[in-house]
Amino acid sequence: MIHNTRHKIELSRVFIEDDALINKKLPKELLLRIFSYLDVVSLCRCAQVSRSWNVLALDGSNWQRIDLFDFQTDVEGPVIENISRRCGGFLRKLSLRGCKSVGDVSMTFLASSCCNIEDLNLNGCKQISDNTCHALSKNCPKLQRLDLTSCCAITDLSLKALSDGCPQLTHINISWCENITENGVEALAKGCKKLKSFISKGCIQVTDKAIGCLAENCHNLEVINLLGCISIEDEAVTKLAENCMRLHYLCLSGCSHLTDTSLIVLAQQCHMLSTLEVAGCSQFTDTGFQALARSCRVLEKMDLEECVLITDTTLIHLAMGCPRLEKLSLSHCELITDDGIRQLGTSPCAAEHLTVLELDNCPLITDASLEHLISCHNLQRIELYDCQLITRAGIRRLRNHLPNIKVHAYFAPVTPPPSTGGSRQRYCRCCVLL
């Protein structure tokens, strides 16, 4: 209250000293409200106009949400400390994504000065260590979102600290923090039971036990990304499906130990699933995707790249059971043929919603598939790299019907025919091409 009174007195004094017309016409409260919509650059420019505008522009209430990504190369510790002093308890959201020079000292100062912060992005701040998370735990009980992507020095101690001091945490990203193990994830799960989003791409030490503990304690989970968590097996997915039925985004790409058991249990429990990414899950078959298509009817985005065992049967079931499908990747699914694309292209989902179709390295796909996609009026992009049976003429016909579509394809140079005769070739193949 004392701070607010002093602040009003200071504003009034400055406005008396500054006789600019705009200051006479508009109440300072209205000007302050206008300034609240400006970005960092605009506020700094306004601060140089006059003494009254300097006070308004640098008022902490205008600095509740700050993104310093555009200034990442210049941002160092003193900048963060100055922002901390200026914003104080006003600061709610801060992004330091890519600010590689920011370290523990300035972040500790920020945590102690800005105790009401709710959203903090430290993606790529490689000098950050466990000390920062200890400071956040001690001073910032309202923290809800934290991005620690590529903060390589972060360990289990950080997650244990967050578990102790940040019970309101709902979103956390620890991708590529390779020192984090199942112990840290278990501690986080037991203290931060309001988690809705858990992203741990590339955390190879995250195990079934860790994900099981997360599932048993955090029933509100909606987003899970376990890309590259190579030790994950069906048991972990089963516990997620049985305990977190609100899941709508799930990435299991690179979890090559998984089998159809995972897809079947997801089909039985997670009917709200809208995005499923399972690239590289090479043991999945038509059986699993048949179960999924029958029960998960709100699926919109699916990445099935390198699910090498699936056939046209999967496309038939997706066409019948997933009417909202918008984006589908079938790259490196080498058993897919024109008939599967025909089933997909003539389905309600393709005609109304399909916008992206990826078919890279599908060797059995021909121009006939492109003919089947002509009725997909919303198709915006198709990937056809290394589809050897697709021709330029087929692509031209598709573009005649869908003039705005982006087609990504590559046509390798024609290989010279082998030499006929017993004489030795005068030039090597490279020389011939050149």
Side-chain angles (χ1 to χ4, degrees):
M1 181 66 72
I2 295 175
H3 171 76
N4 290 337
T5 303
R6 189 190 315 122
H7 175 66
K8 290 178 180 178
I9 293 173
E10 184 182 13
L11 270 180
S12 299
R13 178 175 57 79
V14 171
F15 268 80
I16 291 172
E17 294 173 356
D18 194 329
D19 293 328
L21 183 60
I22 190 172
N23 295 336
K24 293 179 179 179
K25 294 292 185 181
L26 295 180
K28 57 183 179 294
E29 292 80 10
L30 182 55
L31 280 171
L32 193 62
R33 180 64 181 272
I34 293 172
F35 279 25
S36 70
Y37 292 98
L38 301 182
D39 58 22
V40 173
V41 175
S42 301
L43 284 171
C44 290
R45 289 173 178 167
C46 289
Q48 301 174 55
V49 171
S50 67
R51 284 183 297 171
S52 60
W53 278 34
N54 182 276
V55 172
L56 287 172
L58 300 184
D59 186 84
S61 63
N62 291 324
W63 296 73
Q64 296 183 45
R65 294 172 177 80
I66 304 173
D67 187 345
L68 297 181
F69 179 69
D70 291 334
F71 312 95
Q72 56 177 317
T73 56
D74 302 317
V75 175
E76 296 182 353
V79 174
I80 303 304
E81 292 165 25
N82 287 335
I83 288 176
S84 303
R85 292 188 188 95
R86 178 176 302 140
C87 299
F90 284 112
L91 188 64
R92 296 292 187 274
K93 180 178 181 180
L94 174 64
S95 176
L96 300 176
R97 181 169 56 104
C99 298
K100 297 179 181 179
S101 299
V102 174
D104 289 328
V105 173
S106 53
M107 289 308 304
T108 299
F109 186 86
L110 181 136
S112 61
S113 303
C114 307
C115 57
N116 291 320
I117 193 163
E118 299 171 358
D119 188 331
L120 181 60
N121 188 338
L122 300 176
N123 185 332
C125 298
K126 296 183 182 296
Q127 295 189 37
I128 296 299
S129 76
D130 294 330
N131 292 331
T132 289
C133 289
H134 279 290
L136 292 171
S137 171
K138 182 180 178 181
N139 299 287
C140 305
K142 296 181 181 180
L143 190 64
Q144 296 178 21
R145 294 173 173 263
L146 180 62
D147 191 338
L148 296 170
T149 300
S150 298
C151 294
C152 350
I154 292 295
T155 73
D156 290 340
L157 295 177
S158 286
L159 299 193
K160 291 176 181 177
L162 294 169
S163 174
D164 292 336
C166 303
Q168 303 303 317
L169 203 63
T170 57
H171 297 72
I172 189 165
N173 190 335
I174 54 171
S175 297
W176 317 114
C177 296
E178 296 181 356
N179 292 318
I180 287 179
T181 73
E182 64 180 27
N183 296 327
V185 177
E186 288 181 33
L188 182 76
K190 291 174 181 176
C192 301
K193 298 189 176 184
K194 295 183 179 181
L195 276 181
K196 293 182 179 180
S197 173
F198 178 81
I199 302 175
S200 62
K201 295 183 285 186
C203 293
I204 58 177
Q205 298 191 69
V206 171
T207 62
D208 272 26
K209 184 181 177 185
I211 300 305
C213 185
L214 199 66
E216 291 168 356
N217 287 279
C218 306
H219 296 167
N220 294 324
L221 279 167
E222 299 174 2
V223 174
I224 297 281
N225 192 323
L226 302 176
L227 182 148
C229 297
I230 55 178
S231 62
I232 296 298
E233 298 185 2
D234 291 328
E235 182 181 355
V237 180
T238 298
K239 287 190 176 180
L240 280 174
E242 292 175 347
N243 291 280
C244 308
M245 289 176 283
R246 298 181 183 179
L247 270 182
H248 63 78
Y249 176 101
L250 179 61
C251 176
L252 300 169
S253 295
C255 301
S256 57
H257 297 305
L258 300 179
T259 71
D260 283 339
T261 299
S262 289
L263 295 181
I264 292 170
V265 73
L266 287 171
Q268 292 170 344
Q269 304 290 341
C270 299
H271 300 155
M272 297 174 66
L273 201 60
S274 62
T275 298
L276 179 66
E277 299 175 2
V278 291
C281 294
S282 55
Q283 297 189 59
F284 288 166
T285 73
D286 295 330
T287 300
F289 287 111
Q290 177 180 356
L292 202 70
R294 284 178 175 173
S295 300
C296 300
R297 297 186 59 81
V298 297
L299 276 166
E300 296 176 355
K301 301 174 185 177
M302 297 185 72
D303 184 353
L304 312 187
E305 181 173 349
E306 293 184 347
C307 292
V308 293
L309 298 180
I310 66 171
T311 70
D312 293 339
T313 301
T314 287
L315 294 191
I316 293 171
H317 290 295
L318 292 179
M320 292 189 300
C322 303
R324 300 187 186 182
L325 201 58
E326 296 176 7
K327 297 182 180 180
L328 178 63
S329 177
L330 298 168
S331 297
H332 295 271
C333 296
E334 298 186 357
L335 301 179
I336 298 297
T337 73
D338 292 333
D339 189 57
I341 302 301
R342 179 181 65 82
Q343 297 283 348
L344 183 69
T346 56
S347 68
C349 77
E352 297 180 20
H353 299 290
L354 192 65
T355 58
V356 175
L357 181 60
E358 298 178 356
L359 297 170
D360 299 336
N361 292 93
C362 291
L364 303 180
I365 296 297
T366 73
D367 288 348
S369 284
L370 304 187
E371 295 285 346
H372 298 320
L373 296 172
I374 286 174
S375 60
C376 302
H377 303 296
N378 291 312
L379 195 60
Q380 299 172 8
R381 175 167 60 88
I382 185 169
E383 306 281 340
L384 297 167
Y385 289 112
D386 293 314
C387 292
Q388 301 295 332
L389 301 180
I390 295 291
T391 68
R392 289 184 173 87
I395 292 175
R396 280 197 298 270
R397 287 193 294 271
L398 179 65
R399 280 184 169 146
N400 287 337
H401 291 86
L402 304 173
N404 296 321
I405 192 172
K406 294 180 180 179
V407 180
H408 297 162
Y410 171 74
F411 295 94
V414 177
T415 303
S419 177
T420 57
S423 61
R424 182 180 179 184
Q425 283 187 314
R426 185 175 177 184
Y427 299 109
C428 71
R429 180 187 171 197
C430 294
C431 295
V432 171
L433 290 176
L434 291 172

